[in-house]
Amino acid sequence: MTAKVLFFLAMTVSYVGASDIISSFVFPKHLSCYVDKIEKVPTTVYLPLLFANNPGLAAPTLDGPCIALPGGGLFFYWQAGVITYLRESGYDLSNVNLAGASAGALAATLVGTGVDMNTATSLALKMSDDAGVWERPGGLQGVWGSIIEEWLDTLLPDNAADLASVASVSLLVTPIPSFRKSRISNFESKEDLINCNMASTHIPWFLDGKLTKDFRNSPHIDGSFLANPDNYFSVQDKVINLDFNIDPIMKEKSTDLVKLVSKEGIWSIFNRGRSYGKIMDSRGDFKTLRK
């Protein structure tokens, strides 16, 4: 309820100074990172939805091991490091059900289509160099969306949609104005898969200066917004949860969700994920996976 009200406050104020109003509230962490960037925003508001009951989408029960990949902004690279550890340790991820939202949608898509995480990280850093994000006053703001889209188009094979479907990849998106989760598991084409990722990762205003992202002719925002564990998988005792917040070191950095760090900092997050994967393995977190 509170998160929904605050989001609509963000949409209804229309002049510079909006951040002074909104920041006085406790804002959801996936929105607080860009609220101070709001300048002029739409004045349309859907008042009935402020009080609507929004239980969210319950995911189907699936056979086999499950990996949930929640949103985490730049902590995508932590997830990439854990996945790299799993692959290097000989774990078979071909029979794993994958569900992701926001940055976790990117990770789920890359795992399901067989993309190497080292390659993905190296390309992301090269594209960031080419875009001059390290020197930009706004960093990733306003350009991150186009970088992600081109990055996915370069990394994903032409048959990515088929691979994602075979690999049981599901991505969470948040339709507007209902805010009820949609769980997308079938993809019409590589372009459709990329568009789904762009909808799932869409932080309003931050990625491309726009409030929403159209996916299949409907507006959406970040798939992790108001998401709960049941949106990923319905049976939680079978789920391996790759949420960076389970790592105490990363949890301390949770306020840096979209804060641009150095290239060395990105690799540090990646390598910390790989190291934490070993910790998870040693305590039996991956017992449902096979080698």
Side-chain angles (χ1 to χ4, degrees):
M1 175 68 72
T2 301
K4 205 181 286 187
V5 170
L6 290 171
F7 183 81
F8 279 109
L9 281 172
M11 289 203 297
T12 53
V13 287
S14 59
Y15 295 101
V16 175
S19 59
D20 294 335
I21 300 171
I22 299 167
S23 61
S24 64
F25 294 89
V26 178
F27 218 72
K29 69 177 182 180
H30 274 72
L31 297 181
S32 61
C33 53
Y34 57 82
V35 68
D36 62 330
K37 305 298 183 183
I38 297 173
E39 295 184 358
K40 293 187 177 181
V41 292
T43 56
T44 303
V45 64
Y46 302 89
L47 287 175
L49 291 172
L50 296 178
F51 305 100
N53 186 19
N54 185 11
L57 171 77
T61 300
L62 300 171
D63 294 327
C66 302
I67 295 180
L69 296 141
L74 290 174
F75 295 104
F76 156 84
Y77 296 104
W78 181 90
Q79 294 176 334
V82 177
I83 294 298
T84 298
Y85 170 81
L86 289 172
R87 285 173 166 169
E88 290 174 345
S89 300
Y91 283 101
D92 179 11
L93 302 182
S94 64
N95 70 327
V96 175
N97 300 294
L98 302 159
S102 196
L106 302 176
T109 297
L110 297 184
V111 174
T113 55
V115 175
D116 178 75
M117 291 299 193
N118 281 285
T119 300
T121 301
S122 295
L123 179 61
L125 294 178
K126 180 182 183 303
M127 293 177 70
S128 296
D129 269 339
D130 293 344
V133 299
W134 314 106
E135 296 80 27
R136 291 182 77 246
L140 291 166
Q141 185 187 0
V143 299
W144 203 8
S146 60
I147 292 174
I148 293 172
E149 191 165 10
E150 183 181 352
W151 177 72
L152 286 172
D153 188 53
T154 302
L155 288 170
L156 297 181
D158 291 339
N159 64 338
D162 294 333
L163 292 174
S165 297
V166 170
S168 298
V169 173
S170 297
L171 308 181
L172 300 187
V173 294
T174 306
I176 300 298
S178 74
F179 288 92
R180 287 175 169 80
K181 286 286 166 279
S182 293
R183 193 173 189 272
I184 311 299
S185 303
N186 294 296
F187 307 97
E188 300 166 3
S189 63
K190 175 181 174 179
E191 181 182 12
D192 187 58
L193 175 59
I194 291 174
N195 286 339
C196 187
N197 273 274
M198 297 311 299
S200 188
T201 58
H202 189 78
I203 301 174
W205 299 292
F206 188 84
L207 258 67
D208 60 4
K210 298 178 181 179
L211 174 63
T212 62
K213 175 67 177 179
D214 278 352
F215 170 60
R216 296 180 180 175
N217 300 314
S218 297
H220 292 77
I221 61 166
D222 192 302
S224 63
F225 182 64
L226 299 182
N228 61 66
D230 287 344
N231 296 150
Y232 296 89
F233 298 105
S234 59
V235 181
Q236 294 302 306
D237 60 357
K238 297 172 56 179
V239 177
I240 298 168
N241 185 20
L242 296 188
D243 183 345
F244 73 92
N245 282 296
I246 65 175
D247 181 343
I249 292 179
M250 292 294 101
K251 187 175 182 179
E252 289 182 359
K253 301 177 182 294
S254 60
T255 55
D256 297 337
L257 201 66
V258 295
K259 182 179 179 182
L260 189 62
V261 297
S262 66
K263 288 177 279 188
E264 293 76 16
I266 294 293
W267 283 116
S268 177
I269 295 171
F270 182 98
N271 289 325
R272 174 59 190 174
R274 180 189 277 158
S275 297
Y276 200 76
K278 186 175 182 179
I279 293 172
M280 295 178 73
D281 199 3
S282 66
R283 68 189 184 202
D285 290 5
F286 303 140
K287 62 185 177 183
T288 58
L289 301 179
R290 69 186 185 194
K291 291 187 175 183

